[in-house]
Coordinates of all heavy atoms in Angstrom, one line a residue:
M1 N 138.8 19.1 -54.2 CA 137.5 18.5 -54.6 C 136.5 19.7 -54.7 O 136.4 20.5 -53.9 CB 137.1 17.5 -53.8 CG 136.0 16.7 -54.2 SD 135.5 15.2 -53.3 CE 134.0 14.8 -54.0
L2 N 135.7 19.5 -55.7 CA 134.5 20.5 -55.9 C 133.4 20.3 -55.0 O 132.9 19.0 -54.9 CB 134.2 20.6 -57.3 CG 133.0 21.8 -57.7 CD1 133.5 23.1 -57.3 CD2 132.6 21.4 -59.1
Y3 N 132.9 21.1 -54.2 CA 131.8 21.1 -53.2 C 130.8 22.2 -53.6 O 131.2 23.2 -54.0 CB 132.1 21.1 -51.9 CG 132.8 19.8 -51.3 CD1 134.1 19.7 -51.4 CD2 132.0 18.7 -50.7 CE1 134.8 18.4 -51.0 CE2 132.6 17.7 -50.3 CZ 134.0 17.6 -50.4 OH 134.7 16.4 -49.9
T4 N 129.6 22.1 -53.1 CA 128.7 23.1 -53.0 C 128.2 23.4 -51.6 O 127.9 22.5 -51.0 CB 127.3 22.8 -53.9 OG1 127.6 22.8 -55.2 CG2 126.4 24.1 -53.7
I5 N 128.4 24.6 -51.1 CA 127.9 25.0 -49.8 C 126.4 25.4 -49.9 O 126.1 26.3 -50.7 CB 128.8 26.0 -49.1 CG1 130.1 25.5 -49.1 CG2 128.3 26.4 -47.8 CD1 131.2 26.7 -48.7
V6 N 125.5 24.6 -49.4 CA 124.1 25.1 -49.3 C 123.7 25.6 -48.0 O 123.8 25.1 -47.0 CB 123.4 23.7 -49.7 CG1 121.9 24.2 -49.8 CG2 123.7 23.1 -50.8
M7 N 123.2 27.0 -48.1 CA 122.8 27.6 -46.9 C 121.4 27.9 -47.0 O 121.0 28.4 -47.9 CB 123.8 28.8 -46.7 CG 125.3 28.6 -46.8 SD 126.3 30.3 -46.6 CE 125.9 30.7 -48.3
M8 N 120.7 28.0 -45.8 CA 119.5 28.4 -45.6 C 119.7 29.8 -44.8 O 120.1 29.9 -43.6 CB 118.5 27.6 -44.8 CG 117.1 28.2 -44.6 SD 116.2 28.5 -46.2 CE 115.9 26.8 -46.8
V9 N 119.5 30.9 -45.7 CA 119.8 32.2 -45.0 C 118.5 33.1 -44.8 O 117.6 32.9 -45.6 CB 120.8 33.1 -46.0 CG1 122.1 32.3 -46.0 CG2 120.2 33.3 -47.3
C10 N 118.5 33.8 -43.7 CA 117.3 34.6 -43.4 C 117.6 35.9 -43.2 O 118.8 36.3 -42.6 CB 116.7 34.0 -42.2 SG 116.2 32.2 -42.1
M11 N 116.8 36.8 -43.3 CA 116.9 38.3 -43.1 C 116.8 38.5 -41.6 O 115.9 38.1 -41.1 CB 115.7 39.1 -43.9 CG 115.9 39.1 -45.4 SD 114.7 40.0 -46.2 CE 115.2 41.8 -45.8
S12 N 117.8 39.3 -41.1 CA 117.8 39.6 -39.6 C 116.5 40.4 -39.2 O 115.9 40.1 -38.2 CB 119.0 40.4 -39.3 OG 120.2 39.6 -39.5
A13 N 116.1 41.4 -40.0 CA 115.0 42.2 -39.8 C 113.6 41.3 -39.8 O 112.6 41.7 -39.2 CB 114.8 43.3 -40.7
M14 N 113.6 40.3 -40.7 CA 112.4 39.6 -40.9 C 112.7 38.0 -40.9 O 113.0 37.5 -41.9 CB 111.7 39.9 -42.2 CG 111.2 41.4 -42.3 SD 110.8 41.8 -44.0 CE 109.4 40.7 -44.3
P15 N 113.0 37.5 -39.7 CA 113.4 36.1 -39.5 C 112.7 35.0 -40.3 O 113.3 34.0 -40.6 CB 113.5 35.8 -38.1 CG 113.4 37.1 -37.5 CD 112.8 38.0 -38.4
Q16 N 111.4 35.3 -40.6 CA 110.7 34.3 -41.3 C 110.9 34.3 -42.8 O 110.4 33.5 -43.5 CB 109.0 34.6 -41.0 CG 108.4 35.7 -41.6 CD 108.8 37.1 -40.8 OE1 109.6 37.2 -40.0 NE2 108.2 38.2 -41.2
T17 N 111.6 35.3 -43.3 CA 112.0 35.5 -44.7 C 113.3 34.8 -45.0 O 114.3 35.4 -44.7 CB 112.0 36.9 -45.1 OG1 110.8 37.5 -44.8 CG2 112.2 37.2 -46.7
C18 N 113.2 33.5 -45.5 CA 114.5 32.8 -45.7 C 114.5 32.3 -47.2 O 113.7 32.2 -47.8 CB 114.5 31.6 -44.8 SG 114.4 31.9 -43.0
E19 N 115.8 32.0 -47.7 CA 115.9 31.5 -48.9 C 117.3 30.6 -49.0 O 118.1 30.8 -48.1 CB 116.0 32.5 -50.0 CG 117.1 33.6 -49.7 CD 117.1 34.6 -50.9 OE1 116.0 35.3 -50.9 OE2 118.2 34.8 -51.4
Q20 N 117.2 29.7 -49.8 CA 118.5 28.9 -50.0 C 119.4 29.5 -50.9 O 119.1 30.1 -51.9 CB 118.1 27.6 -50.6 CG 119.2 26.5 -50.6 CD 118.8 25.1 -51.1 OE1 117.9 24.4 -50.3 NE2 119.1 24.6 -52.3
R21 N 120.7 29.5 -50.5 CA 121.7 30.0 -51.3 C 122.8 28.9 -51.5 O 122.9 28.1 -50.6 CB 122.4 31.2 -50.6 CG 121.6 32.4 -50.4 CD 121.5 33.1 -51.8 NE 120.6 34.3 -51.7 CZ 121.0 35.6 -51.4 NH1 122.5 35.9 -51.5 NH2 120.3 36.6 -51.4
E22 N 123.4 28.8 -52.6 CA 124.4 27.9 -53.0 C 125.7 28.7 -53.4 O 125.6 29.6 -54.3 CB 124.0 26.9 -54.0 CG 122.6 26.1 -53.6 CD 122.4 25.0 -54.6 OE1 123.0 24.8 -55.6 OE2 121.4 24.3 -54.4
E23 N 126.8 28.2 -52.9 CA 128.1 28.8 -53.3 C 129.0 27.5 -53.5 O 129.1 26.6 -52.7 CB 128.7 29.5 -52.0 CG 127.9 30.8 -51.6 CD 128.1 31.9 -52.5 OE1 129.1 32.0 -53.1 OE2 126.9 32.5 -52.7
M24 N 129.8 27.7 -54.7 CA 130.7 26.7 -55.0 C 131.9 26.9 -54.2 O 132.4 28.0 -54.0 CB 130.9 26.8 -56.6 CG 129.8 26.6 -57.4 SD 128.9 25.1 -57.1 CE 130.2 23.9 -57.6
A25 N 132.5 25.8 -53.9 CA 133.8 25.8 -53.3 C 134.7 24.7 -53.6 O 134.5 23.6 -53.8 CB 133.6 25.5 -51.8
D26 N 135.9 25.1 -54.3 CA 136.8 24.2 -54.9 C 138.0 24.1 -53.9 O 138.4 25.1 -53.2 CB 137.4 24.6 -56.2 CG 137.9 23.6 -57.1 OD1 137.9 22.5 -56.7 OD2 138.4 24.0 -58.1
G27 N 138.7 22.9 -54.0 CA 139.9 22.8 -53.3 C 139.7 22.2 -51.8 O 140.7 22.2 -51.1
L28 N 138.5 21.9 -51.5 CA 138.3 21.4 -50.0 C 138.7 19.9 -50.1 O 138.8 19.2 -51.1 CB 136.9 21.5 -49.7 CG 136.2 22.9 -49.6 CD1 134.9 22.8 -49.1 CD2 137.2 23.8 -48.8
A29 N 139.0 19.3 -48.8 CA 139.4 17.9 -48.8 C 138.3 17.0 -49.3 O 137.2 17.2 -49.3 CB 139.8 17.7 -47.3
M30 N 138.8 15.8 -49.8 CA 137.9 14.7 -50.1 C 137.0 14.1 -49.2 O 136.0 13.7 -49.2 CB 138.6 13.6 -50.9 CG 139.3 14.1 -52.2 SD 139.9 12.8 -53.2 CE 138.4 12.0 -53.7
N31 N 137.7 14.1 -47.9 CA 136.9 13.6 -46.6 C 135.8 14.6 -46.3 O 136.1 15.7 -46.0 CB 137.9 13.4 -45.6 CG 137.2 13.0 -44.4 OD1 136.3 13.6 -43.7 ND2 137.7 11.8 -43.8
P32 N 134.5 14.1 -46.3 CA 133.4 15.0 -46.0 C 133.5 15.9 -44.7 O 133.2 17.0 -44.6 CB 132.2 14.2 -46.2 CG 132.6 13.1 -47.0 CD 134.0 12.8 -46.8
G33 N 133.9 15.2 -43.7 CA 134.0 15.8 -42.4 C 135.0 16.9 -42.5 O 134.9 17.9 -41.8
V34 N 136.3 16.7 -43.1 CA 137.3 17.7 -43.1 C 136.9 18.8 -44.0 O 137.0 20.1 -43.7 CB 138.6 17.1 -43.7 CG1 139.6 18.1 -43.9 CG2 139.1 15.9 -42.8
A35 N 136.2 18.5 -45.0 CA 135.5 19.6 -46.1 C 134.6 20.4 -45.2 O 134.7 21.6 -45.5 CB 135.0 18.9 -47.3
F36 N 133.8 19.8 -44.4 CA 132.9 20.5 -43.6 C 133.6 21.6 -42.7 O 133.2 22.8 -42.7 CB 132.0 19.7 -42.8 CG 130.9 20.3 -41.9 CD1 129.7 20.8 -42.6 CD2 131.1 20.7 -40.7 CE1 128.7 21.5 -42.0 CE2 130.1 21.4 -40.0 CZ 128.9 21.7 -40.7
M37 N 134.6 21.2 -42.1 CA 135.4 22.1 -41.3 C 136.2 23.3 -42.0 O 136.2 24.3 -41.6 CB 136.5 21.3 -40.4 CG 135.8 20.5 -39.3 SD 137.0 19.7 -38.2 CE 138.0 18.8 -39.4
Q38 N 136.6 22.8 -43.4 CA 137.3 23.8 -44.1 C 136.3 24.8 -44.6 O 136.6 25.9 -45.0 CB 138.0 23.1 -45.2 CG 139.1 22.3 -44.9 CD 139.8 21.4 -46.1 OE1 139.0 21.1 -47.0 NE2 141.0 21.4 -46.0
A39 N 135.0 24.4 -44.7 CA 134.0 25.4 -45.3 C 133.4 26.3 -44.3 O 133.0 27.4 -44.7 CB 132.8 24.5 -45.8
Q40 N 133.7 26.1 -43.1 CA 133.2 27.0 -41.9 C 133.6 28.5 -42.2 O 132.9 29.4 -42.1 CB 133.5 26.6 -40.6 CG 132.8 25.3 -40.2 CD 133.2 24.8 -38.9 OE1 134.1 25.2 -38.2 NE2 132.5 23.8 -38.3
P41 N 134.9 28.7 -42.5 CA 135.4 30.1 -42.8 C 134.7 30.6 -44.0 O 134.4 31.9 -44.1 CB 136.9 30.0 -43.1 CG 137.3 28.7 -42.3 CD 136.1 27.8 -42.5
L42 N 134.4 29.9 -45.0 CA 133.6 30.3 -46.2 C 132.2 30.9 -45.8 O 131.7 31.8 -46.5 CB 133.6 29.2 -47.3 CG 135.0 28.8 -47.7 CD1 134.9 27.6 -48.8 CD2 135.8 29.9 -48.3
V43 N 131.6 30.1 -45.0 CA 130.2 30.5 -44.6 C 130.4 31.8 -43.7 O 129.5 32.8 -43.9 CB 129.6 29.4 -43.6 CG1 128.2 29.8 -43.0 CG2 129.3 28.1 -44.6
A44 N 131.4 32.0 -42.9 CA 131.7 33.1 -42.0 C 131.8 34.3 -43.0 O 131.3 35.5 -42.7 CB 132.8 32.9 -41.1
H45 N 132.6 34.1 -44.1 CA 132.9 35.1 -45.1 C 131.6 35.6 -45.7 O 131.4 36.9 -45.9 CB 133.9 34.7 -46.0 CG 134.3 35.8 -47.1 ND1 133.5 36.8 -47.5 CD2 135.4 35.9 -47.8 CE1 134.1 37.5 -48.3 NE2 135.3 37.0 -48.5
W46 N 130.7 34.7 -46.2 CA 129.5 34.9 -46.6 C 128.7 36.0 -45.7 O 128.1 36.9 -46.3 CB 128.7 33.8 -47.0 CG 127.4 34.1 -47.9 CD1 127.4 34.1 -49.3 CD2 126.2 34.5 -47.5 NE1 126.2 34.4 -49.7 CE2 125.4 34.7 -48.6 CE3 125.7 34.8 -46.2 CZ2 124.1 35.1 -48.5 CZ3 124.3 35.2 -46.2 CH2 123.6 35.4 -47.3
L47 N 128.7 35.6 -44.6 CA 128.0 36.4 -43.6 C 128.6 37.9 -43.4 O 127.8 38.8 -43.4 CB 128.0 35.7 -42.2 CG 127.0 34.7 -41.9 CD1 127.2 33.9 -40.6 CD2 125.5 35.2 -41.9
E48 N 129.8 37.9 -43.5 CA 130.6 39.3 -43.3 C 130.2 40.1 -44.5 O 130.1 41.3 -44.5 CB 132.1 39.0 -43.3 CG 132.5 38.5 -42.0 CD 133.9 38.2 -41.9 OE1 134.8 38.5 -42.9 OE2 134.5 37.7 -41.0
T49 N 130.1 39.4 -45.7 CA 129.8 40.3 -47.1 C 128.2 40.4 -47.3 O 127.9 41.1 -48.3 CB 130.4 39.6 -48.2 OG1 130.0 38.2 -48.3 CG2 131.9 39.6 -48.0
H50 N 127.4 39.9 -46.4 CA 125.9 40.0 -46.5 C 125.4 40.5 -45.3 O 124.6 39.7 -44.6 CB 125.4 38.7 -47.1 CG 125.7 38.3 -48.3 ND1 126.9 37.7 -48.7 CD2 125.2 38.4 -49.6 CE1 127.1 37.5 -50.0 NE2 126.1 37.8 -50.5
P51 N 125.6 41.7 -44.9 CA 124.9 42.2 -43.6 C 123.5 42.2 -43.7 O 122.9 42.3 -44.8 CB 125.5 43.7 -43.5 CG 125.9 44.0 -44.8 CD 126.3 42.8 -45.6
G52 N 122.8 42.0 -42.5 CA 121.4 41.9 -42.5 C 120.9 40.5 -42.8 O 119.6 40.4 -42.7
Y53 N 121.8 39.5 -42.8 CA 121.3 38.0 -42.9 C 122.0 37.4 -41.9 O 123.0 37.6 -41.3 CB 121.8 37.5 -44.3 CG 120.9 37.9 -45.6 CD1 121.3 39.1 -46.1 CD2 119.8 37.2 -45.9 CE1 120.6 39.5 -47.4 CE2 119.0 37.7 -47.0 CZ 119.4 38.9 -47.7 OH 118.8 39.3 -48.8
F54 N 121.3 36.1 -41.5 CA 122.0 35.1 -40.7 C 121.8 33.9 -41.4 O 120.7 33.7 -42.2 CB 121.5 35.1 -39.3 CG 119.9 34.8 -39.1 CD1 119.6 33.4 -38.8 CD2 119.0 35.7 -39.3 CE1 118.4 33.0 -38.6 CE2 117.5 35.4 -39.2 CZ 117.3 34.0 -38.8
V55 N 122.6 32.8 -41.1 CA 122.6 31.5 -41.7 C 121.8 30.6 -40.6 O 122.2 30.4 -39.5 CB 124.0 30.9 -42.0 CG1 123.8 29.6 -42.4 CG2 124.7 31.8 -42.9
Q56 N 120.7 30.1 -41.0 CA 119.9 29.2 -40.1 C 120.5 27.9 -40.1 O 120.5 27.3 -39.1 CB 118.4 29.2 -40.7 CG 117.5 28.5 -39.8 CD 116.1 28.4 -40.3 OE1 115.8 27.9 -41.3 NE2 115.1 29.1 -39.7
R57 N 120.8 27.4 -41.1 CA 121.7 26.1 -41.3 C 122.4 26.0 -42.5 O 122.2 26.8 -43.5 CB 120.7 24.9 -41.2 CG 119.6 24.8 -42.3 CD 118.6 23.6 -42.1 NE 117.6 23.6 -43.1 CZ 116.5 24.1 -43.1 NH1 116.2 24.9 -42.0 NH2 115.7 24.2 -44.1
W58 N 123.2 25.2 -42.7 CA 124.1 25.0 -44.0 C 124.7 23.5 -43.9 O 124.8 22.8 -43.0 CB 125.1 26.0 -44.0 CG 126.3 25.9 -43.1 CD1 126.2 26.4 -41.7 CD2 127.6 25.4 -43.0 NE1 127.4 26.1 -40.9 CE2 128.3 25.5 -41.9 CE3 128.3 24.7 -44.1 CZ2 129.6 25.1 -41.6 CZ3 129.6 24.2 -43.9 CH2 130.2 24.4 -42.7
R59 N 125.0 23.1 -45.1 CA 125.7 21.8 -45.3 C 126.5 21.7 -46.5 O 126.6 22.8 -47.3 CB 124.5 20.8 -45.5 CG 123.9 20.9 -46.7 CD 122.7 20.0 -46.9 NE 121.9 20.3 -48.2 CZ 120.6 20.1 -48.3 NH1 120.0 19.6 -47.3 NH2 120.0 20.3 -49.4
V60 N 127.4 20.8 -46.6 CA 128.3 20.7 -47.8 C 128.1 19.6 -48.7 O 127.8 18.4 -48.0 CB 129.8 20.6 -47.3 CG1 130.8 20.4 -48.5 CG2 130.1 21.9 -46.4
L61 N 127.8 19.6 -49.9 CA 127.4 18.6 -50.8 C 128.5 18.4 -51.8 O 129.0 19.3 -52.5 CB 126.1 18.9 -51.4 CG 124.9 19.1 -50.5 CD1 123.7 19.4 -51.4 CD2 124.7 17.8 -49.8
P62 N 129.1 17.2 -51.9 CA 130.2 17.0 -53.0 C 129.7 17.1 -54.4 O 128.6 16.5 -54.7 CB 130.8 15.7 -52.6 CG 129.7 15.0 -51.9 CD 128.9 16.1 -51.2
G63 N 130.4 17.7 -55.3 CA 130.4 17.4 -56.8 C 129.1 18.2 -57.3 O 128.6 18.0 -58.4
R64 N 128.3 19.0 -56.5 CA 127.1 19.5 -57.0 C 127.4 20.9 -57.7 O 128.1 21.5 -57.1 CB 126.0 19.7 -55.7 CG 124.8 20.1 -56.2 CD 123.8 20.2 -54.9 NE 122.5 20.7 -55.3 CZ 121.6 21.0 -54.4 NH1 121.7 20.9 -53.2 NH2 120.5 21.5 -54.9
S65 N 126.6 21.2 -58.5 CA 126.6 22.5 -59.2 C 125.3 23.2 -59.2 O 124.2 22.5 -59.4 CB 127.2 22.3 -60.6 OG 126.3 21.7 -61.3
S66 N 125.3 24.5 -59.3 CA 124.1 25.2 -59.3 C 123.3 25.1 -60.5 O 123.8 24.9 -61.6 CB 124.3 26.7 -58.9 OG 124.9 26.9 -57.7

């Protein structure tokens, strides 16, 4: 199922500087709770590829597109 991972990301050097990022994720389970667990590694991968940021909060929304 298609989901959008919505993250509030902030700069590590300036924690008050935050923005919302959306990443599409396909192939997650239809059950929202399971999809949330499956999305955790995708959020971790985003953090690994975006040094200097941290994720303040995130959520998974079904069927949403940017």
Side-chain angles (χ1 to χ4, degrees):
M1 184 168 172
L2 181 66
Y3 285 88
T4 300
I5 301 171
V6 180
M7 300 177 285
M8 181 61 65
V9 299
C10 305
M11 296 178 67
S12 298
M14 299 172 58
Q16 70 280 11
T17 304
C18 301
E19 61 185 51
Q20 182 172 296
R21 296 279 179 105
E22 296 185 3
E23 298 287 326
M24 300 304 295
D26 196 11
L28 301 182
M30 291 190 69
N31 179 299
V34 174
F36 184 83
M37 290 188 303
Q38 291 174 328
Q40 289 177 353
L42 300 175
V43 173
H45 180 336
W46 189 94
L47 280 170
E48 289 174 1
T49 58
H50 294 83
Y53 285 89
F54 67 93
V55 176
Q56 187 178 64
R57 63 180 176 271
W58 65 280
R59 63 183 179 216
V60 177
L61 300 175
R64 186 172 173 193
S65 62
S66 298

